[in-house]
Amino acid sequence: MNKYDLYVIGAGGTGTYFLKEAARYLDALGNSSPIMTAAIVDGDKVEDKNLSRQSFMEEDIGHYKSAVMADALYSAFPCGARWAAVGEYLTDLSLLNSGRHIPLVIGCVDNHGCRLLLEKFFAKSKDIIYFDSANEFTTGAVVFAYKQGGTVVSPCRSHYFPEILKGDTRQRTEMSCSELNTVAPQHITANMMAGQILLTEFCSLMEGKPHPGMVTFDTAEFSSEDHKA
């Protein structure tokens, strides 16, 4: 059985919905879990505006999202993964190069700069799995990229959406405060749907039944479509 070093990048709307149920699932697996290490990476701190759409409470305001989630997950699911919290934005690959097992990266980020950095990590790795979620108000696409023995089994997001290569590729640390505070509206159902799709493939992978490719969805139309690799 493969063993994995799990990195969840982003603990916002989609990230928190994925993390809660993934932690519950890993707790049920207990010692049979193939996850060797687990880390939550996010440089954001909880703000008042996050409470309506993300899994945080008023007492969390001012604390790093990654730390709040790591503490909550360990308290609720002590038999699962031991979550490490990294209160930093992912601006280089140093945070992802310390693992000894197959990297399993779950991208729940809101900017293409970070996505393309993760795609760079995918390109340089011999064996890697990279799930990337992106959604707008009610629609979204979750990409499941797989690479084995240096061969790409299923490509990254830029294969399906090459326009992201020409968009705003700056990192979060390069954006102004006004830009960071201007967040495109997202419906809570879209975040939950994206998190659920990530969770479904995560569980399938843990059970040895992955589904490489992409899933698109529209919560307003109650629809989703599976695009095989």
Side-chain angles (χ1 to χ4, degrees):
M1 176 185 292
N2 289 330
K3 298 184 183 299
Y4 303 98
D5 291 313
L6 174 63
Y7 303 92
V8 180
I9 316 299
T14 297
T16 53
Y17 290 116
F18 167 76
L19 281 164
K20 288 189 301 178
E21 301 309 320
R24 186 192 308 276
Y25 176 79
L26 293 176
D27 186 73
L29 291 182
N31 292 333
S32 65
S33 170
I35 299 298
M36 298 294 101
T37 64
I40 306 169
V41 182
D42 196 321
D44 278 351
K45 292 184 178 181
V46 180
E47 301 178 57
D48 181 72
K49 66 180 182 180
N50 301 139
L51 304 186
S52 64
R53 193 172 51 84
Q54 301 178 12
S55 300
F56 298 108
M57 297 181 288
E58 190 170 353
E59 57 262 37
D60 299 327
I61 293 174
H63 298 280
Y64 282 108
K65 293 179 178 180
S66 58
V68 172
M69 287 303 301
D71 289 345
L73 296 178
Y74 181 71
S75 296
F77 308 112
C79 294
R82 300 295 186 268
W83 297 92
V86 181
E88 300 178 39
Y89 294 123
L90 187 70
T91 57
D92 60 61
L93 298 179
S94 61
L95 295 177
L96 305 179
N97 285 332
S98 58
R100 295 183 297 146
H101 308 97
I102 297 174
L104 171 53
V105 181
I106 312 293
C108 306
V109 301
D110 59 2
N111 68 94
H112 294 324
C114 188
R115 286 193 177 93
L116 295 179
L117 184 63
L118 291 172
E119 290 198 10
K120 181 179 179 181
F121 184 54
F122 183 88
K124 68 177 287 190
S125 301
K126 182 178 179 181
D127 296 281
I128 185 173
I129 299 169
Y130 170 34
F131 299 171
D132 178 51
S133 172
N135 62 274
E136 298 182 5
F137 189 67
T138 61
T139 62
V142 184
V143 177
F144 308 122
Y146 284 81
K147 192 175 181 183
Q148 184 175 15
T151 299
V152 175
V153 178
S154 179
C156 296
R157 180 174 298 274
S158 61
H159 171 81
Y160 302 97
F161 304 101
E163 62 271 17
I164 72 172
L165 299 171
K166 299 179 180 179
D168 189 346
T169 61
R170 292 176 300 164
Q171 297 290 338
R172 299 266 300 186
T173 51
E174 298 176 281
M175 298 179 183
S176 67
C177 291
S178 61
E179 288 175 306
L180 291 175
N181 289 330
T182 305
V183 180
Q186 294 180 338
H187 200 287
I188 188 173
T189 58
N191 291 140
M192 294 179 73
M193 184 68 170
Q196 180 64 44
I197 293 171
L198 285 170
L199 177 69
T200 300
E201 179 63 6
F202 178 77
C203 295
S204 295
L205 174 64
M206 296 297 99
E207 294 160 16
K209 302 174 182 178
H211 302 89
M214 176 177 66
V215 174
T216 55
F217 66 89
D218 187 335
T219 60
E221 299 293 333
F222 297 97
S223 66
S224 65
E225 184 177 357
D226 188 10
H227 306 262
K228 296 295 185 184

